[in-house]
Amino acid sequence: LAIKCFFDEVTNTATYVIADTDSQECAIIDSVLGFDMPSGSTSTELADEVINYINQKKWTTRWVLETHAHADHLTAAPYLQSKLGGKIAIGKHIVDVQKIFKPIYGLNSDFNTDGRQFDLLLDDGDTFNLGRFTIDVIHTPGHTPACLSYHVDNNVFVGDTLFMPDYGTARCDFPGGDAATLYRSIQKLFALPDETRVFMGHDYKSKTRDQYAWESTIAEQKAENIHINTTISLEEYVSFRNKRDEGLSVPKLILPSVQVNIGAGHFPQNPNNEAPYLILPVNAFK
């Protein structure tokens, strides 16, 4: 399995291209659409890097995968699909996230909350193929209700569930998030073989590290994660996580990101001129 990371320093997001080099089939995990909040303009710079890389390799894109509906960046899934093909997939509990946020944004009645915006909704234990490899779906909620991890070969792509061991774990204070649920999800990951390579969806460096990093192992996470490891109880983790989340600021791009990402990357459409637009709810997040 070939693995290539494209790191976006603006949103601290790791986008992965994984491929079976024998069949020349690939998948993209957690893509990024550039977005400038002051001007409301989008950019495809990072997505174009992904496209150029895949085209140079002459790979066929089978999947455009989301680990969850991100709150810190917009997905480039529709753009990538238009250029490369492939099916856009996310966890089936995205319907729960859609139902939570539709009234917050006051989305039109024609915004469906059954996940139909995506090509495929995935459940815990589902499997699908990437060439000769099987991708196993692990439902890892807690950060959001719909979070998935993708386990393939000896690798697991965990989205926001875990960060590098020196940075910890994801926040759980978004609507539908829950620290106890995240703890149990991480135990599912900890049950994987110690040598399993763990690929994070984000990195923010740390107080002791001045370089970005996005790969560890299950053994390293179990032994060294500063928020959760084999010595931390459920009660200790929930107490710590809830207290820490109280002091965190709202992500800078949460308002545009969530409304776009719950629609598989499609912007709401202005009924008057069919132009894409964004909704700015007031006092929805404090």
Side-chain angles (χ1 to χ4, degrees):
L1 186 76
I3 301 172
K4 171 75 170 177
C5 177
F6 294 82
F7 192 78
D8 178 44
E9 291 192 32
V10 176
T11 63
N12 299 92
T13 302
T15 294
Y16 297 98
V17 175
I18 64 174
D20 173 13
T21 55
D22 287 351
S23 68
Q24 296 190 313
E25 293 184 0
C26 72
I28 304 164
I29 302 174
D30 287 343
S31 62
V32 176
L33 181 72
F35 183 74
D36 180 69
M37 192 71 170
S39 67
S41 60
T42 62
S43 63
T44 61
E45 184 177 353
L46 192 75
D48 288 333
E49 288 185 31
V50 171
I51 292 167
N52 291 337
Y53 174 75
I54 291 173
N55 285 338
Q56 287 172 6
K57 295 289 187 179
K58 298 182 179 179
W59 290 340
T60 299
T61 303
R62 294 298 184 201
W63 304 102
V64 182
L65 304 173
E66 304 286 354
T67 57
H68 64 294
H70 295 266
D72 46 22
H73 71 268
L74 282 67
T75 177
Y79 177 72
L80 291 168
Q81 187 180 55
S82 72
K83 301 295 184 180
L84 298 170
K87 292 183 177 181
I88 300 174
I90 199 169
K92 76 169 192 176
H93 291 280
I94 188 63
V95 300
D96 301 324
V97 181
Q98 290 175 330
K99 290 170 184 174
I100 290 170
F101 283 100
K102 180 176 181 177
I104 290 175
Y105 285 103
L107 293 172
N108 293 332
S109 58
D110 59 358
F111 180 84
N112 294 287
T113 57
D114 57 5
R116 69 178 65 182
Q117 299 88 345
F118 299 84
D119 298 315
L120 182 65
L121 300 182
L122 298 164
D123 198 3
D124 187 55
D126 283 351
T127 62
F128 56 99
N129 294 327
L130 181 67
R132 59 194 167 94
F133 293 99
T134 298
I135 299 179
D136 298 302
V137 177
I138 307 173
H139 185 212
T140 47
H143 174 60
T144 80
C147 289
L148 296 182
S149 295
Y150 296 103
H151 183 216
V152 52
D153 200 21
N154 194 40
N155 314 281
V156 63
F157 299 85
V158 299
D160 291 17
T161 301
L162 285 167
F163 296 136
M164 290 296 290
D166 61 4
Y167 203 85
T169 60
R171 65 195 297 167
C172 299
D173 58 332
F174 296 146
D178 180 73
T181 301
L182 183 61
Y183 181 93
R184 297 185 183 99
S185 292
I186 293 172
Q187 302 313 305
K188 293 164 72 173
L189 297 175
F190 282 1
L192 295 172
D194 281 352
E195 66 273 16
T196 304
R197 299 164 73 193
V198 182
F199 292 90
M200 268 54 69
H202 294 284
D203 186 57
Y204 305 91
K205 301 182 181 178
S206 73
K207 294 180 180 179
T208 59
R209 172 167 51 87
D210 60 3
Q211 297 292 322
Y212 290 111
W214 44 77
E215 179 185 349
S216 65
T217 66
I218 290 296
E220 290 168 348
Q221 292 284 356
K222 287 163 65 175
E224 302 170 13
N225 191 289
I226 61 172
H227 292 174
I228 187 169
N229 51 64
T230 54
T231 70
I232 304 296
S233 70
L234 169 63
E235 292 74 19
E236 289 171 327
Y237 179 75
V238 170
S239 176
F240 162 80
R241 187 70 263 173
N242 288 342
K243 183 176 180 180
R244 180 176 175 84
D245 288 349
E246 289 176 358
L248 296 178
S249 58
V250 175
K252 294 179 180 179
L253 292 181
I254 189 172
L255 291 174
S257 295
V258 173
Q259 65 184 293
V260 169
N261 294 341
I262 62 174
H266 297 287
F267 284 70
Q269 297 295 306
N270 188 322
N272 296 319
N273 58 12
E274 297 185 354
Y277 73 106
L278 290 167
I279 298 162
L280 187 69
V282 177
N283 295 326
F285 303 99
K286 296 183 179 180

